[in-house]
Amino acid sequence: MTPLDVKQDFPILTQTVNNHPLVYLDSAATAQKPQMVIDAIETYYKYDNANVHRGVHTLGQRATDAYEGARETVQQFINAPHSKEIIFTRGTTQAINIVARSYSEKFIQPGDEIVLTPMEHHSNLLPWQQVAKRTGALLKFIPLEKDGTLSETAVKQTITDKTKLVAITHVSNVLGTINPIKEITTYAHEMGAVVLVDGAQAVPHMKVDVQALDCDFYAFSGHKMCGPTGIGVLYGKKQWLNQMDPVEYGGEMIDFVELTDATWKELPWKFEGGTPIIAGAVGLQAAIKYLENIGLDKITAHEKMLTDYAMEQLKQLDGVDIYGPTERCGLITFNLKDVHPHDTATVLDSYGVAVRAGHHCCQPLMKWLNVTATARASFYLYNTIEDVDRFIDGLKQAKEFFGDVF
Amino acid sequence: MSFNNLDTLYRQVIMDHYKNPRNKGTLNEGLTLEMNNPTCGDRIQLHFIIEGEVVIDAKFEGEGCSISLASASMMTQVVKGKSVEEALKLSQYFSNMMLGKETDSDDLELGDIEALQGVQKFPARIKCATLAWKAMEKAIDQEDEM
Ligand SMILES: Cc1ncc(COP(=O)(O)O)c(C=O)c1O
């Protein structure tokens, strides 16, 4: 395949950092934005800005069309059956919290089991801890295999007829593991449980079809897929969303209001209290169009090429621990022997190479890996083979620099 | 490529404290305080014996980067034998140094801590350097309450 060549679409990537051309390898934390997305937001504010679903003036209509148009773009992008099953949120975290609040209130009883994995981001762990405390449900965790994957046996031993809900990440932001969501939803449904998927690390990098996965809820964030911060999506099957109560009450989501009581709108608006994230939705729509124009399959292949190349290079360095399975998404979590990841990241930064160091919002997973922190390089469509070379060079410098110390 | 930029951060003294930490270990008496940096998972455990307003002994254990561990080593070294008041003054001095504020060292005996001056140019690492000092202040606070 020919590698993608799109770096020039991203103005931020043309700068130098610490006197070196920037190499951005932290897209798993947040992705950079192409000019097209920045332009879409600017155009919206310059020409169309107004509040939505209110008043009758022209701009109000344009803003409403833009916002609802974005919803349809998202619906088609993840192949949801209905646009009313697309709820705009602040991000993955808020999307998961809505389900944890609202679905649990209706459907979770004391003694019910909620199944998670030890590789969940704090965003898909803490909300369920609170549900367990509030409802008296129990949390169970599907044990990981040594390489950080889930085996069919482990899945089937943990999900039982007591399980009411399975909340699981599609792709691990630390290990890069791609979980077998389709198999899990099939089995969970046989056991009578619903499945929420945290798609924050999947949607930016691969074609996701919520009908093919047959998940009940799917959450993701705009900012990790070239869109702006502050916008995300909760997809939910309408059979569940219809039965769930709103989480936030206020303007915009109402039907009739009296002094002591009110009724609210139908889906999706009943979950979108207050003035919605209009410019965010417009930006997300532009990001989706940008990604689709390039092609999700090409993006997946490009990242795989970069990851394979980086792995090969890393294996030629001594004293590098790599975490996670062979079959993985476009990120590599690692540690240099005897060098703390903070120090690794600082050395890389001094060469203009941005990687993440820390616990990546996965403290229980760090414990499982038996480390306090790790470094992580994550790739996206704008990265190149030269970026990987710069990264590897930086690591050699770090090893040399700290090698002198020990 | 030159290491110039990095050399202002990773001074030799710092590397020496990282490699050969002073006062590493535990104490059977006195007080123990654990502090972590929630953004990165670094963790430090301080053991202090304070008698008659004087820090008689100080030790630390922990997991962290070169900056946080070197800083803990330097801190324990410099506050040992000092009065509580002096220890707190040193902490204030250190925190000003991290903020890049000029302050008078007022005859304070600084030990090696000035080697960490370069950290101020690496804002992302200031929290690493101040972790041990924050723990020390908290330990003294606790002692006061006892
Ligand atoms: C797997 C995973 N889940 C959830 C989140 C949370 O996303 P956000 O902070 O956009 O709500 C992230 C991103 O940090 C993530 O990587």
Side-chain angles (χ1 to χ4, degrees), chain B residues 13-19 21-23 44 46 60 64-79 94-95 97-98 110 112-117 119 125-136:
Chain B
V13 194
I14 298 177
M15 288 313 181
D16 180 50
H17 275 271
Y18 179 41
K19 202 167 110 187
R22 327 293 200 264
N23 305 310
I44 205 156
L46 269 191
F60 80 98
C65 61
S66 57
I67 302 298
S68 68
L69 296 183
S71 182
S73 167
M74 292 172 179
M75 184 278 290
T76 51
Q77 193 178 38
V78 74
V79 303
F94 189 80
S95 136
M97 186 168 93
M98 288 300 110
L110 298 173
D112 290 336
I113 68 176
E114 277 187 307
L116 285 164
Q117 195 140 26
V119 177
R125 305 300 297 276
I126 291 175
K127 279 207 181 104
C128 313
T130 52
L131 184 64
W133 291 92
K134 290 225 180 84
M136 184 273 276

Side-chain angles (χ1 to χ4, degrees), chain A residues 65-300:
Chain A
D65 290 347
Y67 184 64
E68 294 305 330
R71 199 188 305 277
E72 280 169 25
T73 302
V74 172
Q75 176 209 343
Q76 286 154 18
F77 181 57
I78 59 170
N79 194 30
H82 308 281
S83 70
K84 63 179 168 188
E85 296 176 312
I86 303 298
I87 294 154
F88 283 122
T89 65
R90 238 165 19 81
T92 308
T93 305
Q94 193 189 16
I96 295 171
N97 273 280
I98 289 174
V99 179
R101 266 275 159 204
S102 181
Y103 183 87
S104 311
E105 229 154 62
K106 271 268 152 76
F107 297 105
I108 306 277
Q109 307 292 328
D112 286 350
E113 292 179 354
I114 296 172
V115 169
L116 311 166
T117 78
M119 67 172 99
E120 298 312 314
H121 189 279
H122 294 164
S123 295
N124 197 29
L125 173 62
L126 274 68
W128 306 112
Q129 293 175 346
Q130 295 307 309
V131 167
K133 283 186 189 155
R134 266 201 318 272
T135 63
L138 300 169
L139 300 185
K140 278 174 76 182
F141 295 86
I142 305 171
L144 302 182
E145 300 302 299
K146 277 206 184 68
D147 66 349
T149 57
L150 299 173
S151 74
E152 190 183 332
T153 324
V155 167
K156 291 193 169 168
Q157 273 169 3
T158 318
I159 301 175
T160 66
D161 56 7
K162 288 203 186 112
T163 309
K164 281 287 148 59
L165 186 142
V166 179
I168 183 169
T169 194
H170 196 163
V171 170
S172 159
N173 64 315
V174 172
L175 304 167
T177 313
I178 305 167
N179 286 319
I181 299 299
K182 172 76 194 140
E183 287 75 8
I184 290 172
T185 51
T186 306
Y187 189 70
H189 289 159
E190 272 173 37
M191 293 292 123
V194 297
V195 178
L196 171 138
V197 181
D198 170 354
Q201 296 293 346
V203 174
H205 308 285
M206 58 176 78
K207 185 84 198 109
V208 169
D209 178 334
V210 292
Q211 292 190 67
L213 295 175
D214 197 25
C215 52
D216 300 275
F217 300 100
Y218 197 99
F220 60 99
S221 299
H223 68 95
K224 293 187 200 277
M225 50 187 290
C226 299
T229 53
I231 183 85
V233 172
L234 170 64
Y235 156 79
K237 286 184 180 166
K238 66 179 185 333
Q239 76 182 96
W240 303 123
L241 293 176
N242 273 330
Q243 297 181 68
M244 289 156 55
D245 287 331
V247 174
E248 289 188 335
Y249 297 85
E252 211 80 64
M253 49 81 70
I254 52 96
D255 192 6
F256 286 106
V257 179
E258 293 175 73
L259 277 179
T260 54
D261 206 357
T263 55
W264 33 88
K265 283 186 188 154
E266 309 167 13
L267 284 178
W269 303 291
K270 75 172 181 185
F271 288 106
E272 295 178 355
T275 298
I277 314 151
I278 312 165
V282 167
L284 176 59
Q285 178 180 42
I288 290 174
K289 287 188 172 157
Y290 178 78
L291 297 177
E292 283 190 322
N293 208 18
I294 290 166
L296 266 295
D297 291 343
K298 280 200 187 134
I299 294 171
T300 312

Side-chain angles (χ1 to χ4, degrees), chain A residues 18 20 338-340 342-344 346-347 350-351 356-359 363 372-373 393 397 400-402 404-406, chain B residues 1-3 5-7 9-10 15 18-19 36-42 63-67 122 125 128:
Chain A
N18 296 321
H20 297 274
D338 291 333
V339 187
H340 190 279
H342 264 174
D343 294 318
T344 307
T346 293
V347 175
S350 75
Y351 294 106
R356 173 99 188 253
H359 54 59
Q363 288 184 13
T372 49
D393 269 354
Q397 306 288 351
E400 192 182 320
F401 192 87
F402 281 90
D404 288 349
V405 178
F406 288 96
Chain B
M1 260 191 257
S2 90
F3 289 134
N5 186 23
L6 287 176
D7 283 337
L9 177 64
Y10 297 117
M15 288 313 181
Y18 179 41
K19 202 167 110 187
N36 71 326
N37 181 346
T39 56
C40 64
D42 280 6
E63 287 163 280
C65 61
S66 57
I67 302 298
F122 294 79
R125 305 300 297 276
C128 313

